[in-house]
């Protein structure tokens, strides 16, 4: 049986350099073409908004990273541990990312998502993100191929 999360008792805090090996390991466990440890290090050095979510025992449940540019936030990365998916934690992290962007005075949030990532697409569409474009060959895919990215925007 899947746990019912008491979100008030979870640990939600800024991502620190010490978190990065664990974040990169979670990333590698849920994405076929994951960010590298260096990608996460660069994001922290660039002072992007980066947050982790842990359970009461300190186990990493998920994270997100947001880059603010002028008046638009870009959701760069969001992930939930595979064994914890489907329990509302992705929605919680998306709520937090949107709140973070609003707190920075952003007017909208952009993201890219693989068309093949139907679970994420469903979450974003139900949240209110709208399709605004497509980036051809944006993502690496199997066998040296490339996959398009759907570009979505949410007005804050």
């Amino acid at each position: 049986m899947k746990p019912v999360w008491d979100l008030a008792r979870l640990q939600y805090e800024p991502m620190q350099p010490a978190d990065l090996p664990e974040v990169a390991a979670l990333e590698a466990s849920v994405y076929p073409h994951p960010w590298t440890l260096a990608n996460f290090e660069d994001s922290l050095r660039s002072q992007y908004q980066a947050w982790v979510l842990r359970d009461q025992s300190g186990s990493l449940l998920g994270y997100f990273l947001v880059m603010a540019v002028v008046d638009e936030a870009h959701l760069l990365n969001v992930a939930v541990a595979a064994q914890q998916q489907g329990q509302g934690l992705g929605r919680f992290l998306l709520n937090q990312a949107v709140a973070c962007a609003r707190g920075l005075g952003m007017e909208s949030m952009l993201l890219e998502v693989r068309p093949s990532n139907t679970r994420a697409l469903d979450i974003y569409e139900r949240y209110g993100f709208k399709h605004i474009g497509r980036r051809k060959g944006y993502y690496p895919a199997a066998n040296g191929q490339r996959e398009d990215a759907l570009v979505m925007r949410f007005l804050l």
Side-chain angles (χ1 to χ4, degrees):
M1 182 172 171
K2 292 183 178 181
V4 176
W5 296 106
D6 178 356
L7 297 176
R9 297 187 67 188
L10 296 179
Q11 300 169 36
Y12 171 70
E13 54 200 19
M15 189 182 293
Q16 301 296 320
D19 296 319
L20 296 185
E22 194 175 7
V23 166
L26 190 156
E27 171 88 359
S29 74
V30 297
Y31 288 119
H33 301 279
W35 276 24
T36 65
L37 181 62
N39 292 134
F40 288 106
E41 291 169 343
D42 289 345
S43 293
L44 286 188
R45 267 195 300 278
S46 296
Q47 298 183 335
Y48 297 157
Q49 296 296 308
W51 293 78
V52 295
L53 181 65
R54 296 181 179 280
D55 67 15
Q56 296 165 356
S57 71
S59 295
L60 183 65
L61 300 172
Y63 57 86
F64 73 83
L65 295 98
V66 171
M67 175 179 66
V69 180
V70 186
D71 62 354
E72 192 162 68
H74 189 157
L75 182 60
L76 298 173
N77 196 326
V78 59
V80 172
Q83 65 274 24
Q84 308 305 337
Q85 292 179 1
Q87 300 176 46
L89 296 177
R91 176 78 179 207
F92 174 81
L93 288 171
L94 189 54
N95 283 339
Q96 298 307 312
V98 165
C100 179
R102 283 184 175 134
L104 294 170
M106 303 291 104
E107 295 178 7
S108 64
M109 179 175 278
L110 280 182
L111 60 82
E112 291 92 9
V113 61
R114 292 174 185 267
S116 62
N117 190 347
T118 57
R119 178 179 249 169
L121 267 172
D122 181 58
I123 291 169
Y124 298 139
E125 288 169 348
R126 283 189 286 128
Y127 199 90
F129 280 82
K130 304 294 182 203
H131 296 257
I132 62 166
R134 179 180 288 263
R135 299 189 200 279
K136 296 282 187 188
Y138 185 78
Y139 289 112
N143 301 318
Q145 301 295 307
R146 306 289 298 178
E147 183 176 3
D148 293 352
L150 299 177
V151 182
M152 303 179 82
R153 174 181 284 139
F154 181 75
L155 297 177
L156 304 170

